[in-house]
Amino acid sequence: MDYVKYVKVNPNWGKFIESLRYVGYNNYDAIKDLIDNSIDADADTVLVNIKQASSNSFNGPRLSNKKGKRIESITIADNGSGMTADQLIEAMKLGSESEYSSASLGKFGMGLITASISMGRRLTVLTKTEDSEDINMAVLDLDNVVATGKMQIVHKTIKLEDLGEKFFGKQVFEVYNHGTVVKIDKLDQITCVDASQMAKNLRGASHLARTFRFFIDEEGVNIRVNGKPVEAYDVLDWANVGGSTIALTSGWETLTYDGHEFKYRSTFQYPRTDGSGGGVKRERRGTQGISLLRARREIEFGKTYGFYANRTNFAGF
């Protein structure tokens, strides 16, 4: 009889965690994944703060040194249900076994960690449930993981008064008595060096305004980035808020495939004049191709998926 021996093989956590930083996120998609976690936690208010650095306190590599600028931290605060200590520790695991609803984008328990570390080397999470006086705090520092070779976090409980007055996100605990704050710093993989510009891009029609438009328009979810609200944008809508095109649409149709229900519609847009009487055409803000929505989040914009090449003739389709 053959003898079978099972040997536990632990990863080299330092190398493994570094490799996870390159799973394909861009900065904006990473932030959207973190906001998606807030919406899954039943938050109706999500506050994003992109903070400009005031000094070179962190000497990590930068992708640009334009005017010596860099972004110091990115923080997402929400008034969702919050997490208990056990739930927070579970959420800080790779492949966490947190419960996900059928409408959630998260299925594999990786998003919080991978989205955060794709931008910076330290993740701090503070969270509070309504029936607890304590705020649970957890910190994952990649430098510690690399130095020790151990995948470990720091966890402790703090009180509201322990947070400084200028701590962004403190207001969700003060006003709502529950919620979660996710802060990423030691940023070394940020492609924009100007916080105001990055905030403007994030609010725009290529990011939050489209991705979460159903939640903003239909459910009244309030998303603010650096103090300014995100306004829902539907490039396929007849009277879209961008105001740059008129859209002719077939309306939503439904089909069922392999037990799953899909809704789809096709649209053609054409430019209209700017109203000045001169016949000057406005530039289209939409992009040709296929937009993909899942769980009411628009997660792909204007993709061809190899069906055809981008052509001027298809510009409005």
Side-chain angles (χ1 to χ4, degrees), residues 139-173:
V139 181
L140 171 66
D141 192 319
L142 299 195
D143 293 332
N144 177 268
V145 176
V146 171
T148 64
K150 298 178 181 179
M151 186 65 178
Q152 58 188 4
I153 63 170
V154 174
H155 173 261
K156 62 180 179 179
T157 57
I158 61 175
K159 300 294 184 182
L160 183 62
E161 54 267 27
D162 296 328
L163 296 176
E165 289 303 316
K166 293 184 179 180
F167 181 82
F168 183 83
K170 183 178 182 180
Q171 57 266 49
V172 300
F173 302 131

Short mmCIF file of all heavy atoms in Angstrom, two decimals, residues 139-173:
data_model
loop_
_atom_site.label_atom_id
_atom_site.label_comp_id
_atom_site.label_asym_id
_atom_site.label_seq_id
_atom_site.Cartn_x
_atom_site.Cartn_y
_atom_site.Cartn_z
N VAL A 139 -5.01 47.13 10.82
CA VAL A 139 -4.01 47.70 9.94
C VAL A 139 -3.22 46.57 9.29
O VAL A 139 -2.70 45.67 9.98
CB VAL A 139 -3.03 48.63 10.69
CG1 VAL A 139 -2.00 49.22 9.72
CG2 VAL A 139 -3.79 49.73 11.42
N LEU A 140 -3.14 46.60 7.96
CA LEU A 140 -2.28 45.69 7.21
C LEU A 140 -1.18 46.54 6.57
O LEU A 140 -1.46 47.42 5.76
CB LEU A 140 -3.08 44.96 6.12
CG LEU A 140 -2.24 44.14 5.12
CD1 LEU A 140 -1.57 42.97 5.83
CD2 LEU A 140 -3.11 43.65 3.96
N ASP A 141 0.06 46.27 6.93
CA ASP A 141 1.21 47.01 6.42
C ASP A 141 2.09 46.04 5.64
O ASP A 141 2.63 45.09 6.21
CB ASP A 141 1.99 47.64 7.58
CG ASP A 141 3.01 48.66 7.09
OD1 ASP A 141 3.68 48.39 6.08
OD2 ASP A 141 3.16 49.71 7.74
N LEU A 142 2.21 46.28 4.35
CA LEU A 142 2.97 45.35 3.50
C LEU A 142 4.44 45.31 3.89
O LEU A 142 5.09 44.28 3.73
CB LEU A 142 2.84 45.74 2.03
CG LEU A 142 1.43 45.73 1.42
CD1 LEU A 142 1.52 45.76 -0.10
CD2 LEU A 142 0.62 44.53 1.88
N ASP A 143 4.97 46.41 4.37
CA ASP A 143 6.36 46.42 4.79
C ASP A 143 6.59 45.45 5.94
O ASP A 143 7.63 44.79 6.03
CB ASP A 143 6.80 47.83 5.19
CG ASP A 143 6.83 48.77 3.99
OD1 ASP A 143 7.05 48.29 2.86
OD2 ASP A 143 6.62 49.98 4.18
N ASN A 144 5.60 45.35 6.82
CA ASN A 144 5.69 44.39 7.92
C ASN A 144 5.61 42.96 7.41
O ASN A 144 6.34 42.07 7.88
CB ASN A 144 4.57 44.66 8.93
CG ASN A 144 4.55 43.65 10.07
OD1 ASN A 144 3.86 42.64 10.01
ND2 ASN A 144 5.32 43.93 11.12
N VAL A 145 4.73 42.72 6.43
CA VAL A 145 4.59 41.37 5.86
C VAL A 145 5.90 40.94 5.21
O VAL A 145 6.37 39.81 5.39
CB VAL A 145 3.43 41.32 4.85
CG1 VAL A 145 3.36 39.95 4.18
CG2 VAL A 145 2.11 41.65 5.53
N VAL A 146 6.49 41.85 4.44
CA VAL A 146 7.76 41.54 3.76
C VAL A 146 8.87 41.30 4.78
O VAL A 146 9.67 40.37 4.63
CB VAL A 146 8.14 42.68 2.79
CG1 VAL A 146 9.54 42.47 2.24
CG2 VAL A 146 7.12 42.78 1.65
N ALA A 147 8.93 42.11 5.82
CA ALA A 147 10.00 42.01 6.82
C ALA A 147 9.89 40.74 7.65
O ALA A 147 10.91 40.11 7.98
CB ALA A 147 9.98 43.23 7.72
N THR A 148 8.66 40.35 8.00
CA THR A 148 8.47 39.20 8.90
C THR A 148 8.19 37.90 8.17
O THR A 148 8.34 36.81 8.74
CB THR A 148 7.31 39.47 9.87
OG1 THR A 148 6.08 39.59 9.12
CG2 THR A 148 7.54 40.74 10.67
N GLY A 149 7.74 38.02 6.91
CA GLY A 149 7.34 36.83 6.18
C GLY A 149 6.01 36.27 6.66
O GLY A 149 5.64 35.15 6.29
N LYS A 150 5.28 37.04 7.44
CA LYS A 150 4.00 36.59 7.99
C LYS A 150 2.87 37.50 7.51
O LYS A 150 3.02 38.72 7.49
CB LYS A 150 4.03 36.60 9.52
CG LYS A 150 5.06 35.66 10.13
CD LYS A 150 5.06 35.77 11.64
CE LYS A 150 6.10 34.85 12.27
NZ LYS A 150 6.10 34.97 13.75
N MET A 151 1.75 36.88 7.15
CA MET A 151 0.56 37.64 6.78
C MET A 151 -0.20 37.92 8.07
O MET A 151 -0.94 37.09 8.59
CB MET A 151 -0.30 36.83 5.81
CG MET A 151 -1.49 37.59 5.26
SD MET A 151 -1.00 38.98 4.23
CE MET A 151 -2.63 39.57 3.72
N GLN A 152 0.04 39.11 8.62
CA GLN A 152 -0.56 39.44 9.90
C GLN A 152 -1.01 40.89 9.91
O GLN A 152 -0.47 41.74 9.19
CB GLN A 152 0.42 39.19 11.04
CG GLN A 152 1.71 39.98 10.93
CD GLN A 152 2.75 39.57 11.98
OE1 GLN A 152 2.53 38.64 12.75
NE2 GLN A 152 3.87 40.26 12.02
N ILE A 153 -2.02 41.17 10.72
CA ILE A 153 -2.54 42.51 10.87
C ILE A 153 -2.41 42.94 12.33
O ILE A 153 -2.25 42.11 13.22
CB ILE A 153 -4.02 42.61 10.42
CG1 ILE A 153 -4.91 41.73 11.32
CG2 ILE A 153 -4.17 42.26 8.95
CD1 ILE A 153 -6.40 41.96 11.12
N VAL A 154 -2.52 44.23 12.55
CA VAL A 154 -2.66 44.77 13.90
C VAL A 154 -4.13 45.05 14.11
O VAL A 154 -4.78 45.70 13.27
CB VAL A 154 -1.85 46.07 14.06
CG1 VAL A 154 -2.13 46.71 15.42
CG2 VAL A 154 -0.35 45.80 13.89
N HIS A 155 -4.69 44.57 15.20
CA HIS A 155 -6.10 44.81 15.51
C HIS A 155 -6.23 45.36 16.93
O HIS A 155 -5.56 44.88 17.85
CB HIS A 155 -6.92 43.52 15.40
CG HIS A 155 -8.34 43.69 15.87
ND1 HIS A 155 -8.75 43.30 17.13
CD2 HIS A 155 -9.42 44.26 15.26
CE1 HIS A 155 -10.03 43.60 17.27
NE2 HIS A 155 -10.46 44.18 16.16
N LYS A 156 -7.07 46.36 17.07
CA LYS A 156 -7.36 46.89 18.40
C LYS A 156 -8.70 47.60 18.37
O LYS A 156 -9.26 47.87 17.30
CB LYS A 156 -6.26 47.86 18.86
CG LYS A 156 -6.10 49.09 17.99
CD LYS A 156 -4.97 49.96 18.54
CE LYS A 156 -4.75 51.21 17.70
NZ LYS A 156 -3.67 52.07 18.25
N THR A 157 -9.24 47.87 19.56
CA THR A 157 -10.47 48.65 19.67
C THR A 157 -10.14 50.02 20.24
O THR A 157 -9.28 50.16 21.10
CB THR A 157 -11.50 47.94 20.58
OG1 THR A 157 -10.92 47.73 21.86
CG2 THR A 157 -11.92 46.61 19.98
N ILE A 158 -10.83 51.02 19.71
CA ILE A 158 -10.61 52.39 20.16
C ILE A 158 -11.97 53.05 20.40
O ILE A 158 -13.02 52.50 20.04
CB ILE A 158 -9.79 53.21 19.14
CG1 ILE A 158 -10.54 53.29 17.80
CG2 ILE A 158 -8.40 52.61 18.95
CD1 ILE A 158 -9.85 54.18 16.79
N LYS A 159 -11.95 54.23 20.98
CA LYS A 159 -13.15 55.01 21.20
C LYS A 159 -13.20 56.18 20.21
O LYS A 159 -12.18 56.56 19.63
CB LYS A 159 -13.17 55.56 22.63
CG LYS A 159 -13.15 54.48 23.72
CD LYS A 159 -14.41 53.66 23.70
CE LYS A 159 -14.43 52.66 24.86
NZ LYS A 159 -15.64 51.79 24.84
N LEU A 160 -14.38 56.74 20.04
CA LEU A 160 -14.57 57.85 19.11
C LEU A 160 -13.63 59.00 19.46
O LEU A 160 -13.04 59.63 18.57
CB LEU A 160 -16.02 58.32 19.14
CG LEU A 160 -16.38 59.45 18.17
CD1 LEU A 160 -16.18 59.02 16.72
CD2 LEU A 160 -17.83 59.90 18.39
N GLU A 161 -13.46 59.26 20.75
CA GLU A 161 -12.62 60.38 21.16
C GLU A 161 -11.14 60.15 20.85
O GLU A 161 -10.33 61.10 20.89
CB GLU A 161 -12.80 60.69 22.64
CG GLU A 161 -12.60 59.51 23.56
CD GLU A 161 -13.89 58.78 23.89
OE1 GLU A 161 -14.83 58.82 23.05
OE2 GLU A 161 -13.96 58.16 24.97
N ASP A 162 -10.76 58.91 20.55
CA ASP A 162 -9.37 58.63 20.20
C ASP A 162 -9.03 59.12 18.79
O ASP A 162 -7.85 59.25 18.46
CB ASP A 162 -9.09 57.13 20.29
CG ASP A 162 -9.22 56.61 21.71
OD1 ASP A 162 -8.94 57.37 22.65
OD2 ASP A 162 -9.61 55.44 21.88
N LEU A 163 -10.05 59.35 17.99
CA LEU A 163 -9.81 59.85 16.63
C LEU A 163 -9.62 61.36 16.68
O LEU A 163 -10.39 62.08 17.29
CB LEU A 163 -11.00 59.50 15.72
CG LEU A 163 -11.25 58.01 15.48
CD1 LEU A 163 -12.51 57.83 14.64
CD2 LEU A 163 -10.06 57.34 14.81
N GLY A 164 -8.61 61.85 16.01
CA GLY A 164 -8.37 63.28 15.97
C GLY A 164 -9.50 64.01 15.27
O GLY A 164 -10.23 63.43 14.44
N GLU A 165 -9.64 65.28 15.57
CA GLU A 165 -10.73 66.07 14.98
C GLU A 165 -10.63 66.15 13.47
O GLU A 165 -11.63 66.30 12.78
CB GLU A 165 -10.72 67.49 15.58
CG GLU A 165 -11.18 67.55 17.01
CD GLU A 165 -12.58 66.98 17.21
OE1 GLU A 165 -13.47 67.28 16.37
OE2 GLU A 165 -12.78 66.22 18.15
N LYS A 166 -9.41 66.06 12.95
CA LYS A 166 -9.22 66.19 11.51
C LYS A 166 -9.24 64.84 10.79
O LYS A 166 -9.03 64.78 9.58
CB LYS A 166 -7.89 66.90 11.22
CG LYS A 166 -7.88 68.35 11.66
CD LYS A 166 -6.57 69.03 11.26
CE LYS A 166 -6.57 70.50 11.67
NZ LYS A 166 -5.29 71.18 11.28
N PHE A 167 -9.51 63.76 11.52
CA PHE A 167 -9.53 62.44 10.90
C PHE A 167 -10.72 62.33 9.95
O PHE A 167 -11.88 62.42 10.37
CB PHE A 167 -9.59 61.34 11.95
CG PHE A 167 -9.58 59.95 11.36
CD1 PHE A 167 -8.38 59.36 10.98
CD2 PHE A 167 -10.76 59.25 11.16
CE1 PHE A 167 -8.37 58.10 10.42
CE2 PHE A 167 -10.76 57.99 10.60
CZ PHE A 167 -9.55 57.41 10.23
N PHE A 168 -10.44 62.15 8.66
CA PHE A 168 -11.54 62.07 7.69
C PHE A 168 -12.32 60.78 7.91
O PHE A 168 -11.75 59.69 8.00
CB PHE A 168 -11.00 62.11 6.26
CG PHE A 168 -12.10 62.08 5.23
CD1 PHE A 168 -12.75 63.25 4.88
CD2 PHE A 168 -12.52 60.89 4.67
CE1 PHE A 168 -13.79 63.23 3.95
CE2 PHE A 168 -13.55 60.85 3.74
CZ PHE A 168 -14.18 62.03 3.40
N GLY A 169 -13.62 60.90 7.96
CA GLY A 169 -14.49 59.75 8.18
C GLY A 169 -15.04 59.69 9.58
O GLY A 169 -15.98 58.92 9.85
N LYS A 170 -14.48 60.49 10.48
CA LYS A 170 -14.98 60.49 11.86
C LYS A 170 -16.45 60.86 11.89
O LYS A 170 -17.21 60.38 12.75
CB LYS A 170 -14.17 61.49 12.69
CG LYS A 170 -14.56 61.52 14.16
CD LYS A 170 -13.69 62.50 14.95
CE LYS A 170 -14.06 62.49 16.42
NZ LYS A 170 -13.23 63.43 17.21
N GLN A 171 -16.88 61.67 10.90
CA GLN A 171 -18.26 62.14 10.90
C GLN A 171 -19.28 61.01 10.73
O GLN A 171 -20.41 61.13 11.19
CB GLN A 171 -18.47 63.20 9.82
CG GLN A 171 -18.13 62.76 8.40
CD GLN A 171 -16.72 63.12 7.99
OE1 GLN A 171 -15.78 62.85 8.73
NE2 GLN A 171 -16.57 63.72 6.84
N VAL A 172 -18.90 59.91 10.06
CA VAL A 172 -19.89 58.83 9.90
C VAL A 172 -20.19 58.18 11.24
O VAL A 172 -21.32 57.73 11.48
CB VAL A 172 -19.43 57.78 8.86
CG1 VAL A 172 -19.23 58.41 7.49
CG2 VAL A 172 -18.21 57.02 9.31
N PHE A 173 -19.20 58.12 12.12
CA PHE A 173 -19.45 57.57 13.44
C PHE A 173 -20.21 58.56 14.31
O PHE A 173 -21.06 58.16 15.12
CB PHE A 173 -18.12 57.20 14.11
CG PHE A 173 -17.29 56.22 13.34
CD1 PHE A 173 -15.95 56.46 13.09
CD2 PHE A 173 -17.84 55.04 12.86
CE1 PHE A 173 -15.17 55.56 12.38
CE2 PHE A 173 -17.08 54.12 12.15
CZ PHE A 173 -15.74 54.39 11.91
#
